[in-house]
Amino acid sequence: SIVKLVGFHPFKTAVAALNNANAISEGLLPDDLSSFLDTTLPKSAKKKPVTLGVADAKLGAAIAEALSVQCSHIGAVPEVLRGIRQHFASMVKGFSDQSAAVAQLGLGHSYSRCKVKFNVHRSDNMIIQSIALLDQLDKDVNTFSMRIREWYSYHFPELVKIVPDNYMFAKVAHFIKDRKSLSDESLAGLEEITMDAEKAQAVLDAAKMSMGMDISVVDLMNIEMFALRVIKLSDYRQQLSGYLHSKMNSVAPNLAALIGDQVGARLISKAGSLTNLAKFPASTVQILGAEKALFRALKTKSNTPKYGLLFNSSFIGRANAKNKGRISRFLANKCTIASRIDCFTETPSTVFGEALKSQVEERLKFYEQGETPRKNLEVMKEAMELAKQSAVEESSKKKKKRKLEETNGNATEMNGTGEQSAKKRKKSKLNDTNGGDEDAAADANESTLNGSTLLDSSSAQMDVSNGEGKKKKKKKNKNREAEIEA
């Protein structure tokens, strides 16, 4: 056997394994690995030098720097490591290929989850996806608009010349449906869509004299559904451009202020992230997006391209043919400055982007009219003063907001205590009224009781008086009878 096992140090927990994997991926030497190498590696001598074989070059550099051990990752080392990996289960007792596969799967899942969760370029990824979707939507909307033009032109061919805009054509086609149904009453709706009274009247006149063929109800329904889909896609495209604008203002405000949202987003997408774009030199940013033309020019020994994605900015279109290369080089230089400010600043603002944009404008005037532009040092000093003033204003605004929130919180607390005291007062009043009512009820009960006793006594007196009256009547009747007998 070529390989002999000298030492083996397993990870105690899955968290320790994950921490070691993260450190190795970043090119750092973990503490567990350094202590294991200190105890296991033999000391090197002049006669017997020790070379440590590693799979990763960054890890080898970290070990050599920390422990002063010679490391190698080339030659026979990869083959030896492959053989150890294949026969490692036979070297360690109680270790099988199945348990190793389960442990590797769990560690891989936790490592990828950690990388996704703590990704520095989260907002950059949103910009990259949104600009890619925006480009795809532009292509799809153009294709669908051409399809709806061809399809609806069978029924109303004159509408293409009257309404050349794709989005407006889809809206008008969805509104008209059957051209024979158009009348003077539908003129107001056409004016609302086309934003032009003459164009709406022209559509109405052309519908009356159209040479298009008649179309069935089913075909009209399909055309209407397709036109509605094109309208919704166009509306979503506008919403997506607004979302991209807000994202660029929060992630790279200076770059967006310098060359616009879409060109800046395309640069970030081509570079992979804002950090990568900030690391690029100005010469790379200048030809970013024109790699095929560059390698073709190097292969054929012809002129290299002067610009790539920067050609879509308005500055290069405004420059003369001789000055396009100069402006693209100058603009690439300012784009690198803006991307580095956006990447490494703590308080993002558009101050530096606007200052760099004014420099590009001055350089354009210099090439066209000969006006000498300001120096870069002066412009940057002014921008730094403006940035300090804006930072002070923002801090004062934040303090005012905090004070307002605190005062509002105190007011709400006071209102809460006032409401509680008012509630207590209401409760006490209710108790008092309830107590008075109870007293009145008791008095009423007593009065009723007294009334009943009075009634009883009066009734008794009435009964007694009635009895005495009856006795007197009987005596009078007897006296009368005695007198009659006599």
Side-chain angles (χ1 to χ4, degrees), residues 366-385:
F366 172 69
Y367 288 143
E368 291 174 0
Q369 303 172 5
E371 295 181 5
T372 54
R374 292 178 295 169
K375 292 184 179 179
N376 191 28
L377 187 62
E378 297 176 1
V379 176
M380 287 295 110
K381 280 183 179 179
E382 291 178 3
M384 288 179 73
E385 289 176 0

Side-chain angles (χ1 to χ4, degrees), residues 251 253-254 338-349 352 387:
V251 175
N254 292 301
S339 61
R340 287 167 188 173
I341 292 170
D342 289 329
C343 183
F344 301 109
T345 188
E346 294 179 357
T347 55
S349 65
F352 292 98

Side-chain angles (χ1 to χ4, degrees), residues 68-250:
S68 64
V69 176
Q70 186 179 358
C71 299
S72 175
H73 65 281
I74 56 174
V77 172
E79 291 296 324
V80 173
L81 288 175
R82 186 180 62 80
I84 291 170
R85 234 180 256 115
Q86 188 173 359
H87 301 286
F88 192 68
S90 61
M91 296 180 184
V92 180
K93 292 181 180 180
F95 188 80
S96 62
D97 292 333
Q98 294 179 354
S99 61
V102 171
Q104 287 171 3
L105 183 65
L107 181 61
H109 282 194
S110 57
Y111 176 73
S112 59
R113 193 182 299 113
C114 183
K115 282 292 181 185
V116 169
K117 189 176 180 181
F118 299 103
N119 188 9
V120 184
H121 311 300
R122 287 192 297 270
S123 53
D124 301 356
N125 292 333
M126 300 300 127
I127 290 172
I128 291 167
Q129 295 299 326
S130 59
I131 191 63
L133 180 58
L134 198 66
D135 293 339
Q136 189 65 39
L137 274 176
D138 286 335
K139 294 178 182 177
D140 293 342
V141 167
N142 286 331
T143 306
F144 294 157
S145 299
M146 293 303 296
R147 185 63 53 211
I148 195 73
R149 278 169 172 271
E150 290 181 9
W151 200 354
Y152 195 68
S153 292
Y154 293 129
H155 178 62
F156 194 0
E158 292 85 4
L159 188 64
V160 177
K161 294 181 179 180
I162 301 170
V163 185
D165 186 55
N166 292 331
Y167 179 65
M168 195 179 292
F169 183 89
K171 287 188 107 176
V172 171
H174 182 262
F175 176 77
I176 294 172
K177 296 167 188 174
D178 190 0
R179 72 171 191 273
K180 293 179 181 178
S181 62
L182 275 179
S183 61
D184 295 333
E185 295 176 355
S186 55
L187 188 63
L190 285 172
E191 286 181 7
E192 187 179 353
I193 295 170
T194 57
M195 306 295 289
D196 190 0
E198 294 180 359
K199 193 175 285 187
Q201 188 63 42
V203 170
L204 193 63
D205 296 338
K208 293 175 182 177
M209 304 292 293
S210 178
M211 57 181 290
M213 68 177 189
D214 294 334
I215 199 163
S216 65
V217 179
V218 179
D219 296 334
L220 273 176
M221 284 175 62
N222 282 291
I223 292 170
E224 182 185 353
M225 290 167 62
F226 188 54
L228 184 63
R229 184 61 56 88
V230 172
I231 293 165
K232 287 183 177 179
L233 276 176
S234 301
D235 293 338
Y236 175 65
R237 195 257 176 209
Q238 292 179 357
Q239 293 177 4
L240 189 65
S241 63
Y243 167 74
L244 179 64
H245 177 71
S246 63
K247 270 292 179 186
M248 283 295 292
N249 284 335
S250 62

